[in-house]
Amino acid sequence: MSVDFSTDPTAQGFFAPMRFEADIEDCETQGEIPPELNGSFYRTCLDRRYPPRYADDTPYNADGAVDMFRIANGNVDFRTRYLRTARYTAERAAHRALFGRYRNRLTSDPSVAQLSHNTGNTTPLLFNGRLLCLKEDSPPMAVDPNTLETLCEWDFDGQMTARTFTAHPKLDPRTGELIAFSYEARGDATYDIAVFIFDAQGKLKRQWWFKSPVLSMMHDMAITDRHIIIPTTGMVTSRERLDAGLIHWTYDSSVPCHVAILPRDGSGEVRWFQGTPDQAMLLHTTNARTEGDRVILDAPVASANFHPYFPNADGSGFDVAGVSPNIRRWTFDLSSTRTDWDEEILFDGIRATSMVRIDDRFLGQPFRYSYILAVDPKMPFDRARGGNLSVRVANAWWRFDHANGTIDRAYVGSTHGLAEPQFVPRHRDAPEGDGWVIGVANDFSQMRSELVIVDAQQMQRGPVARVKLPFRLHTQVHGWWVAG
Amino acid sequence: MSVDFSTDPTAQGFFAPMRFEADIEDCETQGEIPPELNGSFYRTCLDRRYPPRYADDTPYNADGAVDMFRIANGNVDFRTRYLRTARYTAERAAHRALFGRYRNRLTSDPSVAQLSHNTGNTTPLLFNGRLLCLKEDSPPMAVDPNTLETLCEWDFDGQMTARTFTAHPKLDPRTGELIAFSYEARGDATYDIAVFIFDAQGKLKRQWWFKSPVLSMMHDMAITDRHIIIPTTGMVTSRERLDAGLIHWTYDSSVPCHVAILPRDGSGEVRWFQGTPDQAMLLHTTNARTEGDRVILDAPVASANFHPYFPNADGSGFDVAGVSPNIRRWTFDLSSTRTDWDEEILFDGIRATSMVRIDDRFLGQPFRYSYILAVDPKMPFDRARGGNLSVRVANAWWRFDHANGTIDRAYVGSTHGLAEPQFVPRHRDAPEGDGWVIGVANDFSQMRSELVIVDAQQMQRGPVARVKLPFRLHTQVHGWWVAG
C-alpha cells in the first residue's frame, strides 16, 4: 500500500504535495526588505499527506498546513506545519487516507465516522491570542501563532454551539469585534444559519439562528458599521445527494442568489433579498458599507460554477467562465420593501479571480482600493510544469481604484504564478493604500516559491524584494497579516 | 546583511542550498520496494547555511548535513538534519558565515579562531553504536543513528589523539575492526601521519605515528587482511600557503605519488613506495588484497587536479581530465627492495569518476564487482537548470566485473543526475553481487530528488522502484548502508 500520487492530475509538477514541515532561518533574500515591514504573514494551504480515497475528490479537501513568514529588521524566518487535526492523526496512524469525499462522511472509512473531518485549510486569522485556521465545514482549529503548534478544535469556550463556522469571519477594525456565521449549522444538509458577534475579548455578545431559503455554499460575508450581509450561492447540496455518496456540492444554475442582511445591534431580524441565478456565484466579498438606508456591497461575482470538482447539476461540463468573475456593486435599499437590489458592473470588461483583499483597516467603511489576483493572458505559463490543471495559473496582482475606475498591475516574472495578495500598511496610521502588497509567487522555472514584496503605490515596478525559499510551497487558499 | 546566494555559481539551480531540515513519513513511491530491503541508507551532504566569506572557497567547505532513508516492509521514511558543529552554532548566532576559506583558519573571523572548523560533511559510517560523520580535517562528528541528533566531536573516549581523522576509515567485515589514519595529524601543515586500529568494541588496539614525504591530501586508504595502504596525492599545501591566506590545497603536477604500506599486525614499520606524478590523483580506492608477498590495489586514478576550486600550482587552468580517472591495478612486491610498483589499466579506455564502491562484505579480500558513478556522454543534461558547473553531472551507474572486464550500465532517466552508488546485498549470506544498487537521483525536470533502487544483476533494467521526495536534496558526498 505505497503512497503514489502519479495518477492524480491535481498533484503534478508544482502542485505535487509537500508532505513535510520545515523551518528556515534568515531566508535567502534579493532586494531589500523594507525596514518598516514588521510582522507575521500567515497562510493556510492545501497539502495532502495521502492520496485521496476517491479520484473525483476536490483538492479543497486536502490536509491543512499553515505557513508563517516572520519579518523583522529586514530579515525573514519561515516555518510551515501541518495542522494536527483528528483526521491528520488518524490517517498518520493508518498510513493512508481514511476520510472520503469532501464533506460526505458516508464515504469515509467506518473507523473515522465519528471523528471531525476538519482540515482547517482555508483561512488563518489571529483573534484574542489564537491563530484560528478555518474551514467552513467545521469549528476553527486553534493554533499557537508563534510555534504553529495545533492547540485544539475551538468552540470559543463553549460559546459557539454551531457545528460549522465560516472561513471568512470579519474582524471589525474599529471595535475589535469578530463577526461570523455558520451554515449547515446544525449538521450536514441542515438549513440552519447562525450568526455570532464576539467582543474583542472573545466573549459572545450576540447570536442569531434562522433558516436559509436554499441549502447552498455560503463562503463569505460582509460587514458594515451597522449591518451584516450573507449571500447564498448556486452551489447546492441535499440529504439525498449525501446519502448517494456524492461529493458535497453540485452547481445548480437555476438557483438564484439570496442575500441575508441583519442589523449588528440586534434591533431587527434577518431580512432576505432575492436576486437572479447569474448573481449566484459570489465566493468572496470585497467590502461593504452602509450609507443611510442603503447597504452597498462590492464583490467579484461570477455567473457559473467556479470549481471543476463540483459538478454541474444539469450534467453540463465545466465552463471556465465560472472562475472569472467581474466586479459588481450591489445596492440594497432597506427603506423600501423591494426584495431585489440594484447591480452595477465596476471596472467594465475586466475578468479577474475571486481572490480579492482590501486594506483591512477600512473593513466595513468607505474605501478606495482593492487588490485582486488575476490571470493576465499576456503572461506565459508553462502548463506542463504547472500540472494538468483545467485553469490557467494566476500571474498578476491588480490594484483596483474604486474611486476612479483605474487599474494598476504588478507582475513578478514570466515564469511565476501568484497566490492571493495581502495588503500591509506602511504603519498603523498610514493613509489608505500606503504600504505593500505581499504574497507568495511560485517560480515554475526553478520549482521554488518566493515571498514577494511590492510597493502598493508603485505596482508596475514589481517586487522591491524577493524572499526565496529553497522549495515549492503547497497551494495557498488565504493569507493573513499580523503586525508587530 | 541579507542572505543572498545569487552571485555564487555553485549555488544555482539544482545546486542551490537546502537550508532546511525535514522528516517525511511514508515517502511517495513508484514501483515496488523489494521486501528484503531492510535498513538505513545514510548520506553526508554539502549544504551551506550562509554564503561563503570568500567567493573562491570550495563547495567542499559547505556545512554538513546528514540524510537517512529508513527502509522496511516496502516503506521508506526520510529524515535530514544539519550537523550541529561548533561552526553551525557560531554562524547561526551570528546570522552569517564566520569561517573562511577551506582549512585555513587565518581566513576566519577572529571570533572563531579557536573553534573547530569541522563540517562532518564527507562520509557517514556506523561504528559501535554511533553514526560517525567524517571530514578529513577534523575528528569524527558523532551522531545518533536514529534521530540524527548531533552528539559531539568524538575522540574515541580520548584514545584518538590526532587532530584529524580520515573520511575513509575501513571497517573490516571479518573482524569488525575500524582501521583509520590521520594526516596533518599534529595540526595544519604538519607532516605527521597517524594510523589507528580500533577493535569492534571501540578499544584502540594499535597505533603508528610517522612522517609523510610530502605534505599532501590523503583522502582514502585501503586494507587487506594483512596490510594497510595509504597513498599521497599531488594536491599539496604548505605553511607559507596558509600564512598567505590561500585555500588549503594547490595541485602540483610535479609531485609523484607515494604509497605507505604497513603490516596490520604490528610486525613491521611503514614502508614507502614512490610512483610518478601521473599516478598522483588517487582520490578513492576500490579494494585491495594481499596475495603472498604482493599487495594488489585497484582504484580509479586520475593524472591531474580533480577540483577547479583547488588551483594548479603552475598557474595553468583547470583541465576536466582530472575528474575522469581510469581504473588502475597497482601491484606492490613486498619481497623485493623495489620502491616503485607495477601498474595495469583495467577496463581500457573507460573514464569514470572516482566515486566507486564495492560489496563491503568483500573489503580487503578478493572480489569481483565494483560499482561506480559515471558521466555517460550519450545522456543529455540540462546545464542551465543544473547550474553553472564546469563539469557535467554524472548520470549513470556502471558495474565493473573485475573478473572478465565487462561493464553493465544503469540509467535512471534522461533528466536525472546521480550520486554515488551503494551496494546492498540481498541478505547477509547472499553471494557477491546478489542485491541492489541504491542511491539518490536528481530529477532536473521536476527539481526533485529520488532514492532509486536497481537490481545489481540487472543494471540495464534501470530502477525497480523510485522513492520520490518532494524537494531537491543537497549534494551528497558519500553514503553508507546499515542493514536491519
Side-chain angles (χ1 to χ4, degrees), chain B residues 25 61 107 110 115 153 184 201 271 290 377 408 427 432:
Chain B
E25 297 167 343
N61 197 26
T107 62
L115 290 183
E153 200 173 65
E184 300 189 48
Q201 287 71 46
R271 179 163 167 186
T290 301
D408 289 306
H427 53 83
E432 187 191 352

Side-chain angles (χ1 to χ4, degrees), chain A residues 159-216:
Chain A
Q159 301 175 103
M160 202 290 290
T161 55
R163 304 276 290 275
T164 63
F165 194 84
T166 180
H168 290 288
K170 301 302 173 192
L171 206 48
D172 189 311
R174 298 163 312 130
T175 65
E177 291 169 314
L178 185 72
I179 304 175
F181 75 102
S182 306
Y183 75 94
E184 301 190 44
R186 296 197 201 276
D188 292 343
T190 60
Y191 283 73
D192 301 272
I193 296 175
V195 179
F196 304 98
I197 301 180
F198 300 93
D199 70 17
Q201 287 70 46
K203 184 163 177 296
L204 182 63
K205 187 174 164 185
R206 188 165 293 120
Q207 63 179 310
W208 294 258
W209 285 80
F210 52 90
K211 298 281 184 183
S212 176
V214 289
L215 193 55
S216 86

Side-chain angles (χ1 to χ4, degrees), chain A residues 1-6 11-14 16-31 49-50 74-75 88 91-92 95-96 384-385 444-448 468-472, chain B residues 1-6 11-14 16-31 49-50 74-75 88 91-92 95-96 384-385 444-448 468-472:
Chain A
M1 190 167 47
S2 74
V3 174
D4 185 354
F5 283 94
S6 62
Q12 304 306 307
F14 212 98
M18 284 179 67
R19 305 185 74 244
F20 66 97
E21 301 180 326
D23 294 85
I24 305 174
E25 298 166 342
D26 305 327
C27 289
E28 206 179 327
T29 300
Q30 291 171 11
R49 281 175 54 80
Y50 294 100
N75 186 65
Y88 176 99
E91 295 190 345
R92 181 181 195 174
H95 299 274
R96 63 188 174 92
R385 197 173 298 286
F444 291 86
S445 75
Q446 295 291 313
M447 299 296 257
R448 294 175 66 168
K468 302 187 80 165
L469 299 187
F471 42 67
R472 287 179 294 117
Chain B
M1 189 168 45
S2 74
V3 174
D4 186 353
F5 283 94
S6 63
Q12 303 306 306
F14 212 98
M18 284 179 65
R19 304 185 75 244
F20 66 98
E21 302 179 325
D23 293 86
I24 304 175
E25 297 167 343
D26 304 327
C27 290
E28 205 179 327
T29 301
Q30 289 170 13
R49 282 175 54 81
Y50 293 101
N75 186 67
Y88 175 100
E91 295 189 346
R92 182 181 192 173
H95 300 272
R96 64 186 174 92
R385 196 172 299 285
F444 291 87
S445 75
Q446 294 291 313
M447 300 296 257
R448 294 174 68 168
K468 302 187 80 164
L469 299 186
F471 42 67
R472 290 178 294 115

Side-chain angles (χ1 to χ4, degrees), chain A residues 429-440:
Chain A
D429 303 316
E432 187 191 352
D434 181 17
W436 297 277
V437 181
I438 73 171
V440 164

Side-chain angles (χ1 to χ4, degrees), chain B residues 151-190:
Chain B
L151 303 172
C152 60
E153 200 173 65
W154 177 238
D155 62 3
F156 296 81
D157 277 327
Q159 301 175 101
M160 204 288 291
T161 54
R163 303 277 290 274
T164 63
F165 194 84
T166 179
H168 290 290
K170 301 302 174 193
L171 205 49
D172 189 312
R174 298 163 314 130
T175 65
E177 291 170 316
L178 185 73
I179 304 176
F181 75 102
S182 306
Y183 74 94
E184 300 189 48
R186 296 197 200 276
D188 293 343
T190 61

